[in-house]
């Protein structure tokens, strides 16, 4: 072979090598670039996946701030958990005279706790908040104790409540991250979730011939596909505050902004960003075999993951003592999952065919 032919052959081999390398790097399904940066006009903001509780985004997330009527998210969940929805609640002088946004309860008027909660969350009634607090907590002060106990219980490390309505008061504050955690917790309650996604509610009026009719102040319910909550807020000191939620393809996200002059647009952008970059990924499905062991998963486990994180999820089998009650009932341990070494969840494991698998 002469030198010219040898040269052409070498060039062809080099070209084939380059083409082979290029096709390898663009294989469909390979890792993509990191998510584009997310920004808002808010002083503080946060985005959370409701099911997993994973915080997807945070800006000044642990900075305590005034939160206006976002307070009522806590008021509602405490009332739902501690009260009887069918109870009739009487409007006291204190509730009747409460300043700010109102559903215009009359002194001595009685309304069910259930309907008051709709008035609280759809119209942000401060009179409703006070009436609810007095009824469920025995007094407004007693109810505030329940609010702070709940905050401690669910790990709101930078929040303190002084009232059930959110009017500005020294020592009354929360953070974007804490409100995201609170919202994720509350949205897992069916009664709360049903209330905050309601666009219009009618309630009987015991005094006049016409019924109450409340339109939800949350514009996200009509301007964003899949929106299903949560709460607006405003005071002159807190400025505009908003918590919104939306569900798409089985995944629910909640966004929080505090002191934001363009909150409707920011929330649409935040939710779009979350659904695009952190979709829910199936880690394991119920009934899947546990590799290397004679066990199967008793539950499914899904988790929101950015595309570059898929290979960073690892699992560890944790077997339980054969002397335990759980073992006697068929459980053999738990399969724990970790993302970059941090725990993100676990599912129980059973032997195949165990009858308890049908009830998990």
């Amino acid at each position: 072979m002469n030198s010219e032919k040898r040269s052409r052959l070498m060039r062809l081999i080099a070209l084939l090598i380059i083409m082979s390398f290029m096709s390898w790097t663009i294989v469909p399904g390979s890792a993509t670039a990191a998510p584009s940066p997310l920004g808002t006009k808010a002083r503080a903001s946060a985005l959370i996946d409701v099911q997993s509780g994973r915080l997807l985004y945070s800006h000044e997330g642990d900075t305590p701030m005034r939160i206006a009527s976002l307070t009522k998210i806590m008021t509602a969940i405490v009332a739902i958990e501690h009260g009887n929805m069918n109870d009739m609640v009487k409007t006291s002088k204190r509730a009747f005279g409460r300043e700010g946004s109102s559903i215009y309860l009359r002194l001595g008027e009685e309304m069910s706790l259930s309907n008051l909660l709709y008035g609280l969350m759809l119209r942000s009634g401060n009179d409703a908040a006070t009436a609810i607090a007095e009824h469920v907590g025995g007094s407004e002060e007693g109810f505030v104790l329940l609010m702070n106990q709940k905050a401690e219980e669910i790990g709101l490390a930078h929040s303190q409540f002084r009232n059930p309505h959110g009017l500005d008061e020294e020592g009354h504050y929360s953070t974007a991250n804490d409100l995201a955690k609170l919202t994720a917790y509350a949205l897992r309650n069916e009664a709360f979730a049903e209330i905050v996604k309601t666009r219009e509610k009618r309630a009987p009026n015991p005094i006049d011939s016409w019924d109450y009719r409340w339109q939800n102040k949350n514009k996200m319910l009509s301007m964003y596909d899949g929106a299903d909550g949560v709460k607006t807020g405003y005071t002159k000191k807190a400025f505009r505050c908003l918590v919104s939620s939306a569900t798409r393809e089985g995944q629910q996200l909640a966004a929080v902004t505090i002191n934001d002059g363009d909150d409707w647009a920011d929330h649409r952008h935040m939710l779009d960003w979350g659904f695009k970059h952190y979709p829910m990924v199936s880690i394991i499905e119920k009934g899947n075999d546990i590799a290397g062991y004679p066990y199967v998963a008793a539950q499914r486990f899904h988790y929101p993951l950015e595309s570059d994180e898929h290979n960073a999820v690892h699992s560890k089998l944790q077997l339980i003592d054969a002397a335990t009650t759980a073992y006697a009932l068929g459980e053999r341990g738990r399969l724990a999952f970790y993302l970059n070494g941090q725990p993100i969840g676990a599912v129980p494991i059973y032997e195949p065919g165990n009858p308890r698998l049908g009830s998990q």
Side-chain angles (χ1 to χ4, degrees):
M1 182 182 295
N2 60 37
S3 59
E4 182 178 351
K5 289 183 178 180
R6 183 180 297 108
S7 177
R8 287 201 299 267
L9 179 61
M10 293 302 293
R11 287 199 298 270
L12 177 61
I13 292 173
L15 178 61
L16 289 173
I17 292 173
I18 292 171
M19 291 177 64
S20 174
F21 176 76
M22 290 175 64
S23 65
W24 173 259
T25 59
I26 60 173
V27 170
S30 61
T32 60
S36 56
L38 176 62
T40 72
K41 294 181 175 63
R43 283 190 58 200
S45 52
L47 180 69
I48 196 168
D49 176 80
V50 170
Q51 178 183 325
S52 67
R54 183 182 186 186
L55 202 61
L56 306 179
Y57 168 81
S58 177
H59 168 69
E60 294 293 335
D62 288 329
T63 302
M65 296 182 182
R66 299 177 188 272
I67 60 169
S69 286
L70 302 188
T71 298
K72 290 166 182 153
I73 298 171
M74 177 63 85
T75 301
I77 193 61
V78 169
I80 290 168
E81 292 184 349
H82 289 269
N84 183 329
M85 300 288 272
N86 296 319
D87 277 359
M88 298 303 294
V89 180
K90 190 171 184 177
T91 305
S92 69
K93 184 177 180 179
R94 190 176 189 179
F96 171 73
R98 182 64 67 194
E99 67 272 20
S101 56
S102 176
I103 59 171
Y104 305 105
L105 296 169
R106 269 71 63 87
L107 182 63
E109 179 179 354
E110 291 190 349
M111 182 180 289
S112 72
L113 177 59
S114 175
N115 284 332
L116 278 174
L117 285 165
Y118 279 93
L120 175 81
M121 298 305 285
L122 273 63
R123 298 305 301 171
S124 204
N126 293 338
D127 50 354
T130 302
I132 289 168
E134 291 177 331
H135 179 80
V136 175
S139 66
E140 192 169 334
E141 294 75 15
F143 188 83
V144 169
L145 288 176
L146 296 177
M147 296 172 75
N148 286 308
Q149 287 173 6
K150 177 56 65 175
E152 183 177 359
E153 176 189 324
I154 61 181
L156 309 188
H158 306 286
S159 299
Q160 182 172 269
F161 297 93
R162 295 293 196 200
N163 63 62
H165 39 69
L167 290 171
D168 292 318
E169 184 174 344
E170 290 303 316
H172 185 94
Y173 56 82
S174 188
T175 68
N177 287 353
D178 276 4
L179 286 169
K181 294 175 188 176
L182 170 62
T183 301
Y185 173 86
L187 283 169
R188 297 182 199 119
N189 181 287
E190 291 184 4
F192 179 92
E194 180 63 31
I195 291 169
V196 299
K197 74 179 182 181
T198 301
R199 297 191 185 190
E200 179 181 298
K201 174 69 176 178
R202 290 180 180 269
N205 186 331
I207 298 175
D208 295 314
S209 59
W210 47 269
D211 286 345
Y212 287 103
R213 182 180 177 183
W214 300 315
Q215 298 283 343
N216 201 319
K217 289 185 177 183
N218 183 6
K219 294 180 182 179
M220 288 292 289
L221 293 175
S222 59
M223 68 169 53
Y224 190 82
D225 183 29
D228 47 21
V230 175
K231 189 71 188 73
T232 60
Y234 174 84
T235 68
K236 290 181 179 179
K237 292 183 178 180
F239 200 50
R240 293 180 62 89
C241 303
L242 180 63
V243 174
S244 67
S245 64
T247 301
R248 291 184 179 177
E249 298 182 1
Q251 181 181 20
Q252 187 174 30
L253 302 181
V256 180
T257 53
I258 302 175
N259 195 330
D260 186 352
D262 197 17
D263 48 11
W264 304 121
D266 281 341
H267 278 243
R268 292 196 299 269
H269 180 53
M270 290 172 72
L271 292 167
D272 282 346
W273 184 90
F275 286 124
K276 177 181 179 180
H277 292 294
Y278 288 90
M280 196 65 75
V281 175
S282 173
I283 307 300
I284 196 168
E285 295 293 331
K286 181 179 178 180
N288 281 174
D289 293 333
I290 309 302
Y293 295 89
Y295 307 126
V296 296
Q299 296 174 358
R300 58 179 283 189
F301 180 67
H302 291 190
Y303 198 76
L305 293 174
E306 190 270 321
S307 59
D308 285 345
E309 296 177 325
H310 290 199
N311 293 329
V313 176
H314 301 282
S315 63
K316 181 179 180 181
L317 187 64
Q318 302 167 342
L319 300 177
I320 61 174
D321 192 330
T324 63
T325 302
Y327 190 94
L329 292 173
E331 186 175 336
R332 293 297 176 260
R334 299 182 71 79
L335 188 65
F337 298 100
Y338 300 83
L339 175 61
N340 293 318
Q342 298 299 311
I344 58 173
V347 298
I349 58 170
Y350 284 75
E351 294 178 354
N354 189 291
R356 287 182 60 83
L357 284 170
S359 61
Q360 295 297 314

